[in-house]
Amino acid sequence: MDKQKLVLIGNGMAGVRCMEEILREAPDLYEITIFGAEPHLNYNRIQLSAVLQGSTTFDDITINDRNWYNEQNIELFTGETVLKIDTEKQELLTDKGRRHPYNRLIIATGSMPFLLPVPGKDIEGVSTFRTIEDCQKMMETAKHYHKAMVIGGGVLGLEAAKGLLNLGMEVTVVHNGPHLMERQLDETAAKLLQTELEKQGLRFLFEKETKEICGSNRVERVSFKDGTEAAADLVVMAAGVRPNIQLAKESGIATNRAILVNDYMETNIPNIYAVGECVEHRGMVYGLVKPLYDQGKVLAKRICGLRGKGYEGTVLSTQLKISGVDVFSVGQFSCDDRLQSIVIFDELDGVYKKMVFEKSRMVGAVLFGDTSDRTRLLDMIMKRQDVSDLEKVTLFQALNRDGNSAASMAHSEMICNCNGVAKGTIIEAVQKNGLTTVDQVKKCTKASGACGGCKPLVADLLNYIHSDEFDEGIEQKSMCSCTTLTEDEVVHEMQWQGLTTVQEVMEVLGWENKEGCSACRPALAYYLGMIYPEYERKQENLYISEQRMAIIQKDGTYTVIPQMYGGKTSAEQLRMIATVAEKFGITNIAVTSEQRIHLMGVKKKDLSALLADLDMQVSSTYGNMVQNVKTSIGEHICHCDKHSSMELAVSLEKRLEFLITPYRVTLGVSACLHNGAGSTTKDIGVIGTGLGWEIYVGGSSGRNVRAGKLLSLGTKNQDVIDIICAFIQYYRETANFLERTWQWIERVGLVHVREVIFDFELRQQLLFRLEKDTMFRKRFSGKQMSGIEINNQQ
């Protein structure tokens, strides 16, 4: 059967990255053709400023060489422009007379540099800064001329200006606004930036509007509307870009400022999609690499027929890529009636830090002079993390960490936000592949392969990994002293060889201790249970029956815990519990923090009769299982409606009952932001808000308290249950035995967990497997196993 023809118009970063995602999702689904108007292979346009500044080369910024296209069986036409799209015939016409059919078409034509509509804009010596040819032209000009003028005081203009300065030219930056980078920086940060760049040799003219570019054979000077003028041998226009949508407009595709798309990057024409700088989504046109890559992931799933979440927009962040200047901006940076800010300004060291809040959530930040904590702040803003419970000064304390900034980051924190590469991923790649240079890390993980802003942090991390201080390697240790195999290797062999019992595993895999030990036996039993849900584990931690459970204590007596889902009970149940307690002389009765009544000190001879008289479901969450859900029933701080949180807790307990996990899993459901159930310090915590539920994961209330990380927000009831259940199942399937949720998240990365849980198809698969396992365990727990007891051991 012939493959469908998938055509990409545009060989730039956004379009080709989308193709990479498509090839990853479904490598054999399409016959792929790419048309690129430029004569070059796919290269990193963002890194042209680094080439101009002399810190890298044209070869270094090539993303995919010719071999890659050949290996992927991609038909590539460079230096060929598509002139027309025949949407009826589903056919393209190029400037070389080629007619090419398509079944699916992706438009990724990017944007065009904006040329000021002034006299003289076409004379020799006037350039834009957008392509390799532009860069080469500027480098050649610098060999023969000395005075350069850059029109535009934004990010691109400043990076071009610094490059020309490095080439030995006298550079003046002309800006029509009152200060630099007014779209990313407030006045204070902009003035600090101006001062630093002036020290490096740049000159600035503010609030100037260009009237004319003058010269006979080539540019000689620029005149302004205020009557002044300035000499120039080279004029670089870096006053912005415009989406390249002419082809789309002429082909009947709906446009506004750019090509209009929905959340799945679909245009108004069937089988035609668009991605990148030429796209307008929910009124936004993005010119930064991360949103373009985010769009590409969504489109890849859509075009491969996979179900997934649509694109919802991206929080914008900017980092200036000029050597010796640390500037970072994200989100909102100016305040109004809704917003408030916290500012630290160290004039002696030239460090300025500003965080902007909307009520209790950070919505923006500006950093100058010290940008080491940009990834943490960006993460907080993207997750809309509530910081009402934090002392605000601690946010700044975290910003002033001593030593290597990479060393103090958690394994799950993002090093490269554009490509979603976490610290732990880089450590693992370095250790497995013996990487020693930033370029090797980029090729292996893609970290620093987009905007390049994280390159210094990647270098810091690499230096730290190869230093004597490094002590956080992702070293694979053997499961225990009985074997040299790691847990991953043991599980792989269990599946590969079809091993079905603990004894068989130890015999076949050559255990040194033929009986195993206290570390490996329960671990093997757990893994067998995950591989074969109907594996009847002959361990000590087993149910007597679904309604007949008890926990044996050290003194030989038992504890019985009547089940009260969500901590709710009734007068009838309370009378029954009281009657049983009186009949069997139970005086040690407690209401515990898990909101259950414990009948303690039950004698073995009375156990069967007591359970028969009690005639209630009995709870036993002892051991490595999903624990009873903590709620905020007794909270008296506020008077919010707790009914919905109670119902959610009850639903979760019933759904997750009897579920065995790698380590105990605690849950909390708080009705409101007062967080009465301590949800942020649970393995999984839920907090009610006016917009829905917030879900936090990886918290811990042990000796070293850990705050949970935001997994999702604004979630509705059924979605909350499905997300939590999928999270638990993914934890069960991929965590090591006795690995806590926070350790697991640190190892695999929260971004990865989100990508799995919020992929609709993957989530449904997880829920199916969890439901199948839960149903079996409920059925299994109902069997009479009167000879089995549950020991009170850790």
Side-chain angles (χ1 to χ4, degrees), residues 10 35 72 93 97 102 161 189 199 271 333 363 389 427-428 443 580 605 661 665 729 759:
F35 288 93
Q72 305 301 327
L93 175 65
Y102 69 85
K199 289 178 182 178
N271 298 321
F333 62 87
V363 295
D389 292 336
I427 292 176
E428 186 173 7
K443 290 179 180 178
V580 166
K605 65 182 180 65
T661 50
V665 174
Q729 182 64 12
D759 183 299

Side-chain angles (χ1 to χ4, degrees), residues 530-582:
M530 290 303 302
I531 298 169
Y532 313 108
E534 297 189 4
Y535 166 66
E536 297 186 7
R537 288 177 294 283
K538 305 301 181 183
Q539 325 176 51
E540 294 178 276
N541 282 0
L542 280 176
Y543 303 112
I544 295 177
S545 74
E546 183 178 13
Q547 295 183 339
R548 305 285 185 266
M549 287 188 243
I551 301 173
I552 190 171
Q553 305 296 332
K554 289 182 179 180
D555 61 1
T557 63
Y558 290 80
T559 295
V560 175
I561 309 167
Q563 178 61 281
M564 300 173 181
Y565 293 113
K568 294 173 65 176
T569 186
S570 65
E572 181 183 0
Q573 288 183 337
L574 291 173
R575 277 194 294 270
M576 186 181 301
I577 293 170
T579 299
V580 166
E582 288 179 346

Side-chain angles (χ1 to χ4, degrees), residues 165 192-202 204 348 350:
L165 186 70
L192 287 168
L193 174 60
Q194 178 186 337
T195 300
E196 179 58 37
L197 293 177
E198 285 174 339
K199 289 178 182 178
Q200 295 188 15
L202 291 179
F204 297 95
L348 291 177

Side-chain angles (χ1 to χ4, degrees), residues 128-181:
T128 56
F129 186 34
R130 181 68 180 169
T131 65
I132 286 179
E133 285 74 20
D134 291 336
C135 197
Q136 290 172 329
K137 181 179 178 181
M138 294 161 66
M139 295 170 75
E140 186 63 28
T141 301
K143 296 177 181 179
H144 308 286
Y145 298 92
H146 303 291
K147 292 184 180 294
M149 179 178 293
V150 177
I151 299 177
V155 174
L156 188 63
L158 295 178
E159 291 177 354
K162 182 59 190 301
L164 293 170
L165 186 70
N166 288 358
L167 291 171
M169 299 191 79
E170 297 177 9
V171 185
T172 300
V173 176
V174 177
H175 192 52
N176 61 2
H179 61 76
L180 301 174
M181 292 178 62

Side-chain angles (χ1 to χ4, degrees), residues 491-511:
V491 173
H492 173 76
E493 292 299 323
M494 289 164 67
Q495 294 174 296
W496 181 255
Q497 300 191 44
L499 309 179
T500 58
T501 68
V502 171
Q503 199 60 40
E504 185 180 18
V505 171
M506 293 190 293
E507 289 174 1
V508 173
L509 300 185
W511 245 239

